[in-house]
Amino acid sequence: MSPAALARVASARAAHPFVLACVARDSVLPPVEVIAAMWRNRHRADLVIAGCFPKRGVMDRAGFQGRLLRRVLSLPVRDVFSPWRLYRRDMLTALRSRLPQESGAAANLELLLHIAAEGYQAYEINVAGQAPARAMEGGSAWPKLRHLASLWQRRNSILSADYDDRAYDSIIPLQRYWQRQRYRLITELIAGEGAVLDVGCGSSRILSALPEGSMGVDILLRKLRYARRFKTMLIQASGFHLPVADEAFPCVVCSQVIEHVPKSSPILSELCRVLKPGGRLVIGTPDYAHWEWRITERLYATFAPGGYADEHIAHYSRQELLDFFEPRGFAHEATRYILRGELIMAFRKRWTAD
C-alpha cells in the first residue's frame, strides 16, 4: 500500500484502529509469522516495522543506502526502506495532509520522516530470513538530491519533535558540547529543590532528570508526544497562561524560551506567579550583551538561514533580568555561562517582597 493509498485510508471512516501496509509484488506478501509478530507488538508504538537487517559484513546496495540515509536523516529505525508496516490509524489521520502522494521507496522514506518529526514512536522487529528478496525490490531507490536536501532541512528544524533530545548526541561537536553543558548546569541548579515545573520543556533530556511530582509544559504537541518517553507528567499549554495555581511549585525552570516571545508577553510574570515563596527559579537565554553570542548568532544566520537568528525576537542581558526580578522580590543566587553566550541564572523568591 503506497503513501497515496494510505492517505485515502486515513480519510475514510473505519472502525479498525490499525492499518497494515505491505508490498504485493509478484504475489509476494509477508509471511503469516511476520504479520503475527507485527500484531503482537502493535501496542508498543504508533508504527511497527518489520525490518530486514543484513548480517554483519554482508550488505547489498539497498542496505548501504538505507544505513547512510538513516544516519543522514537521524531516523529511528534500521530498515528505512521496509514496506512491511503496521500503522495506527489515528496517526495516519493526523498526518493525512502531509502524506506523500507518490509511491515507491522514496515516498515511504518521506512518510517515515514525517512520523519521526511529529513525535510518533516507531518499533522495529527483525524479520531477516523471512523477507524474500523480490519483496524488497524498489527499496534501493535513492531520493533526488534536491528532495534529500529538503528532507534533511525538515528533519533538522528546531520544530522537529525530537530536535532537543537529538542535539544532546549531535554529531556536531559544538552543538553536542553546548547541549550537554546546558543539561549539566540546569540539573545542578535544580538539585534538591523539589518538584520542578519546566516551562517550554520541548523534548529536552532535562525532563528525564526531574524529580517525582514534576511537570513539563509546552505549546507544541509534537514535542510533548515525543517527550512521553521521559515518564514525566506533561501538559500542552502556553507559557503566557500557565494552567497552574499560584505558588504551586518549589522550583521553576524556563530554558531557551523567553527569547522566542515578545518582551511584552506575560511569561516572566507567570514564572513569578507559579513559584512558591522560598522557591528557586532557573532561567536561561542568550546574553546579547556579550559579543560571543552575537557572533554565534551571525554564524547561525549564515549557515542555517531561518534558524535561531530569526527565531530570537527578544534580546536579553544579565543586567536586564536582574532589573526585572530583583524589584519583584527575587534574590539572585547564581549565574552560569556556556561559552559566554548562553546565560543561565538562578533566583530565590523571598518570603516577603522587599
Side-chain angles (χ1 to χ4, degrees):
M1 184 179 293
S2 69
L6 288 173
R8 293 192 295 272
V9 170
S11 301
R13 293 186 178 182
H16 206 284
F18 297 95
V19 177
L20 176 66
C22 60
V23 170
R25 183 166 187 163
D26 293 342
S27 300
V28 177
L29 293 168
V32 173
E33 294 81 4
V34 172
I35 297 176
M38 296 171 72
W39 183 252
R40 285 195 302 271
N41 290 283
R42 65 191 182 280
H43 295 303
R44 286 181 174 266
D46 305 290
L47 166 65
V48 178
I49 291 183
C52 184
F53 309 157
K55 295 180 180 179
R56 185 182 298 273
V58 178
M59 187 178 299
D60 57 11
R61 180 184 176 188
F64 173 77
Q65 290 181 344
R67 176 175 290 186
L68 184 58
L69 283 170
R70 179 197 178 204
R71 184 66 172 172
V72 169
L73 298 176
S74 302
L75 294 171
V77 299
R78 292 176 61 183
D79 189 350
V80 300
F81 290 133
S82 173
W84 294 348
R85 304 179 180 188
L86 184 67
Y87 300 92
R88 288 189 61 88
R89 182 182 292 274
D90 54 0
M91 177 185 69
L92 292 176
T93 301
L95 292 174
R96 60 182 179 273
S97 63
R98 302 187 182 187
L99 296 179
Q101 296 304 307
E102 301 81 12
S103 300
N108 278 327
L109 177 70
E110 183 175 352
L111 176 54
L112 181 60
L113 183 140
H114 281 306
I115 288 170
E118 288 298 316
Y120 292 103
Q121 294 187 13
Y123 181 77
E124 192 171 25
I125 59 176
N126 186 2
V127 296
Q130 300 185 71
R134 293 301 297 271
M136 305 304 290
E137 282 186 13
S140 60
W142 184 267
K144 293 181 179 179
L145 186 59
R146 181 180 298 179
H147 187 208
L148 181 60
S150 174
L151 293 177
W152 184 90
Q153 186 174 22
R154 193 176 314 162
R155 185 73 181 102
N156 290 281
S157 164
I158 62 173
L159 296 177
S160 186
D162 58 348
Y163 176 87
D164 313 295
D165 186 40
R166 282 193 295 119
Y168 188 90
D169 295 316
S170 174
I171 61 174
I172 304 172
L174 179 59
Q175 185 181 41
R176 184 173 63 250
Y177 170 82
W178 205 296
Q179 291 288 332
R180 294 188 177 193
Q181 284 293 99
R182 179 187 300 158
Y183 175 91
R184 181 182 66 82
L185 293 173
I186 289 179
T187 53
E188 286 177 358
L189 290 171
I190 66 176
E193 297 294 334
V196 177
L197 177 67
D198 189 344
V199 179
C201 61
S203 56
S204 170
R205 202 167 294 189
I206 292 170
L207 285 168
S208 67
L210 300 184
E212 186 177 353
S214 297
M215 177 188 295
V217 176
D218 203 279
I219 197 158
L220 294 178
L221 181 58
R222 67 175 72 93
K223 299 269 188 178
L224 298 178
R225 188 182 290 123
Y226 177 85
R228 291 176 297 178
R229 66 195 62 206
F230 297 127
K231 310 304 182 184
T232 298
M233 185 186 308
L234 302 169
I235 188 168
Q236 184 184 18
S238 168
F240 297 176
H241 304 286
L242 293 170
V244 175
D246 294 353
E247 303 177 356
F249 281 85
C251 186
V252 175
V253 170
C254 186
S255 174
Q256 299 301 297
V257 176
I258 61 174
E259 65 273 15
H260 295 274
V261 298
K263 289 186 177 181
S264 58
S265 76
I267 189 169
L268 293 181
S269 297
E270 281 289 275
L271 299 179
C272 299
R273 177 183 68 80
V274 300
L275 183 65
K276 287 182 176 179
R280 171 169 274 194
L281 169 66
V282 177
I283 190 164
T285 190
D287 190 340
Y288 280 86
H290 284 182
W291 63 265
E292 288 89 344
W293 176 257
R294 294 197 298 271
I295 288 180
T296 299
E297 189 170 76
R298 288 176 185 172
L299 291 174
Y300 265 113
T302 301
F303 296 104
Y308 282 120
D310 294 331
E311 288 284 331
H312 293 181
I313 61 177
H315 297 177
Y316 289 91
S317 67
R318 179 179 182 274
Q319 188 60 50
E320 188 172 358
L321 291 176
L322 288 171
D323 292 344
F324 180 90
F325 286 108
E326 288 184 337
R328 289 167 172 78
F330 284 76
H332 171 247
E333 292 190 329
T335 294
R336 304 285 188 270
Y337 277 102
I338 303 175
L339 300 181
R340 281 181 54 83
E342 182 174 333
L343 167 67
I344 301 173
M345 301 180 74
F347 293 90
R348 183 75 61 183
K349 186 176 184 179
R350 298 189 179 97
W351 286 96
T352 56
D354 291 341

